[in-house]
Amino acid sequence: MQSKSIDALIIGAGIAGLYQLYQLREAGMSVQCVDAAEDIGGTWHWNCYPGARLDSPSYTYQYWFSQELLDEWQWSERFPGQAEIKRYLHYVADKFDLRDRVQLNTRIASAHWDESAARWVVTSEAGQVWRARYLISCVGMLSAPKLPPFAGHDQFKGDIVHTARWPQQGIDLTGKRVGVVGTGATGIQVIQTIASQVAQLTVFQRTPQYAVKMNNYPLTGAQGDYWRSRHKQFAESLPNTFGGFEWDLPELGWATSLSVKERRQWLEECWADGSLKMWVGTFPEVLFDEKINEEVSIFAREKIRAAIDDPLLADKLIPTSFGFGTYRVPLENGYYAAYARDNVELVDVSESPIERFTENGLLVAGREYPLDVLIMATGFDAGTGSLTAMDVRGRDQLSLRELWSRDIRSTLGLQVHGFPNLFTIAGPLAPSTAFCNMTTCLQQQVEWVSDAINYISSNAIASMEPTKERQDRWVEHHDEVANATLLANTNGWYTGGNIVGKPRRLLSYIGGVGTYRQLCADIAASGYQGFTLRAQ
Ligand code: NAP
């Protein structure tokens, strides 16, 4: 098949990919965006499971580059559902005429760097080939679903569905016996939504989470006007905060300067906000200091216990083996209440793991749980999974998959030594991997990449990649910050601990979004010091 020469190929048409496409097209480049899905939207296309909902306030979860867009678009709620966010992305694609440069139903199989031509040779699974100067991965950090290999799945006569592969036309669960494996943010949203629709709901829980009661409300009238009046301020302030949200973490040391009573009052305020402020807006010490963390954990446990009538059930649903905020904190809206229903059963699989499928359901501790549908809310191979699913080879045939199977390294999550002109938006070791209000971090990274590409193009440079020394320095700094936190030893997707054999490292940079933004800006201002810029 003939190849097509272009300036830039973007993989992924979600929040990052669409903005990257807009930026490079505006810079006058020939650019093609491809996506494996049948529609644009990325995460917000794939995750159309029941109850999928935003957990960042919508008024901070949007593009800031167009005042017209900000003026025209109205969010209906503080935490809107998946369909509304997807509609927003459609609106953006239409308004800025992006669709004709997006090729859907196109999964990339391989991308090989041709050093002599300084081009990426990118091939789709269907055999289509592009030769591109720049390859920009916008594949998302939570996009490669994890499916635990329970034995006997081909015997099971019911349906098995992963939440991130939910059929677009939906599944009618009315009157069915449904099982859910997984009680992370996704499982919680599914369970609280379908409990009243199904005949019987069986939840297979291995690790309970500290879920914070969501405070959602309509953004009509005065509420909407209030938040809209703050758009300009948000556009400037969000990239300079710790987590990219409208609230910031107070100064280190503040928690210990308060009395226990004052800290409690502050926690009450943060809890009442009903948002991730409870996670990245209370005290920085929650993430570093075991004593303060335990105090916040006790507070959260009390709140959860108060929401559950049955004390034995509460014991099962309240985490005790890890501290608050050391896993990503989910928001809930009726999750704990769902367990009070007669048709909902909680099965603890922490001691006795799920053994296998039978013809009729799942077997746990010798008991068969009959099911018509099993929902896998089992998460993702985060940060690296979608990149390593492709055969990406840089200089000297260096394989990204092989490299990251040994050790996950990158330079600010944006580039990898050995892979010239490959840019990885939301790649591992940046705040955008997990520790950020995603739109804040994605826009900052897209803008940095666009600036870098414009710099290369206008300075007769053939290729750009970080030096090994620059990368080593970043990884060392990343590890130093990460290992000072209480998150470094958790077993969830944050550290790769949820995937058997995955090298362990906190996937997200946790030094703060503002600090990271400044570091990126300094690199650009220095003419990309620490990066090898090869002349054409
Ligand atoms: P997750 O947090 O990784 O949760 C996966 C769940 O599956 C965990 O409860 C895990 O238990 C369980 N699990 C995995 N393998 C299992 C096995 N073999 N047997 C029993 N249980 C098993 O994944 P997620 O819930 O999809 O969330 C991932 C991230 O997506 C979130 O942290 C969040 O960042 C994002 N998200 C955001 C929203 C939103 O509100 N905008 C909604 C959903 C997700 P263990 O913990 O014991 O491994």
Side-chain angles (χ1 to χ4, degrees), residues 50-294:
R53 189 167 285 281
L54 191 59
D55 64 2
S56 289
S58 54
Y59 41 79
T60 61
Y61 193 89
Q62 49 190 347
Y63 295 115
W64 302 107
F65 68 89
S66 161
Q67 189 55 47
E68 223 177 81
L69 175 64
L70 285 163
D71 291 341
E72 286 167 9
W73 184 259
Q74 299 266 4
W75 292 109
S76 71
E77 292 176 279
R78 188 186 191 202
F79 298 110
Q82 168 266 339
E84 183 166 338
I85 307 149
K86 191 170 162 188
R87 268 203 307 282
Y88 171 68
L89 293 172
H90 274 245
Y91 187 82
V92 171
D94 289 336
K95 181 171 175 64
F96 299 101
D97 272 332
L98 300 175
R99 283 185 196 271
D100 62 340
R101 307 237 187 164
V102 183
Q103 183 177 309
L104 297 166
N105 299 304
T106 305
R107 189 174 286 281
I108 298 302
S110 67
H112 294 180
W113 175 247
D114 174 350
E115 177 77 9
S116 59
R119 291 286 184 281
W120 280 97
V121 182
V122 186
T123 309
S124 73
E125 281 185 353
Q128 207 174 347
V129 182
W130 293 269
R131 295 179 67 80
R133 280 189 75 182
Y134 312 106
L135 177 61
I136 305 125
S137 158
C138 296
V139 294
M141 89 301 185
L142 290 163
S143 50
K146 171 195 162 180
L147 273 170
F150 302 131
H153 71 274
D154 42 356
Q155 276 176 34
F156 180 51
K157 287 197 177 136
D159 296 320
I160 305 170
V161 58
H162 191 282
T163 45
R165 291 294 177 272
W166 201 265
Q168 294 294 319
Q169 70 279 15
I171 304 178
D172 186 6
L173 298 173
T174 321
K176 301 232 166 100
R177 296 165 305 172
V178 178
V180 177
V181 181
T183 50
T186 302
I188 286 173
Q189 291 184 336
V190 171
I191 292 159
Q192 68 194 14
T193 307
I194 65 171
S196 60
Q197 300 163 14
V198 302
Q200 173 67 34
L201 178 60
T202 311
V203 178
F204 301 92
Q205 173 190 269
R206 190 163 64 182
T207 310
Q209 288 295 332
Y210 297 95
V212 172
K213 177 85 186 151
M214 173 187 271
N215 178 12
N216 198 8
Y217 44 77
L219 288 183
T220 42
Q223 282 280 19
D225 292 344
Y226 170 71
W227 291 113
R228 293 169 73 78
S229 74
R230 298 186 62 189
H231 279 163
K232 195 168 179 305
Q233 179 200 335
F234 284 149
E236 285 162 17
S237 65
L238 301 187
N240 296 306
T241 60
F242 177 76
F245 293 98
E246 80 247 41
W247 52 79
D248 206 353
L249 267 183
E251 291 292 305
L252 200 67
W254 188 58
T256 41
S257 75
L258 300 178
S259 67
V260 174
K261 194 170 157 218
E262 286 167 330
R263 280 204 291 273
R264 173 98 199 177
Q265 259 169 6
W266 176 235
L267 290 177
E268 288 287 0
E269 255 178 66
C270 292
W271 186 274
D273 196 64
S275 64
L276 294 177
K277 181 174 187 177
M278 189 58 211
W279 180 43
V280 284
T282 56
F283 315 107
E285 287 84 352
V286 176
L287 306 172
F288 300 96
D289 179 326
E290 283 189 22
K291 242 180 92 197
I292 296 289
N293 182 279
E294 181 56 9

Side-chain angles (χ1 to χ4, degrees), residues 290-404:
E290 283 189 22
K291 242 180 92 197
I292 296 289
N293 182 279
E294 181 56 9
E295 198 174 305
V296 179
S297 303
I298 290 170
F299 174 86
R301 288 183 200 126
E302 281 172 21
K303 289 285 181 198
I304 297 170
R305 193 167 284 280
I308 306 165
D309 289 337
D310 175 350
L312 290 178
L313 188 64
D315 288 344
K316 287 190 190 163
L317 286 168
I318 294 174
T320 48
S321 63
F322 62 94
F324 182 86
T326 59
Y327 281 76
R328 172 72 135 76
V329 174
L331 302 184
E332 65 92 17
N333 216 345
Y335 173 64
Y336 296 114
Y339 289 97
R341 300 178 59 90
D342 289 340
N343 66 334
V344 179
E345 182 180 5
L346 180 68
V347 179
D348 183 351
V349 296
S350 61
E351 298 292 325
S352 310
I354 294 166
E355 285 169 40
R356 61 180 171 85
F357 281 101
T358 63
E359 219 176 274
N360 301 313
L362 272 184
L363 197 69
V364 180
R367 178 177 158 194
E368 185 185 67
Y369 293 86
L371 303 168
D372 301 310
V373 180
L374 182 68
I375 300 174
M376 296 286 213
T378 42
F380 302 88
D381 181 355
T384 55
S386 288
L387 271 158
T388 54
M390 301 179 280
D391 178 26
V392 180
R393 289 175 190 266
R395 272 186 297 105
D396 308 321
Q397 288 298 301
L398 183 65
S399 157
L400 190 63
R401 188 186 293 157
E402 277 172 38
L403 200 69
W404 280 356

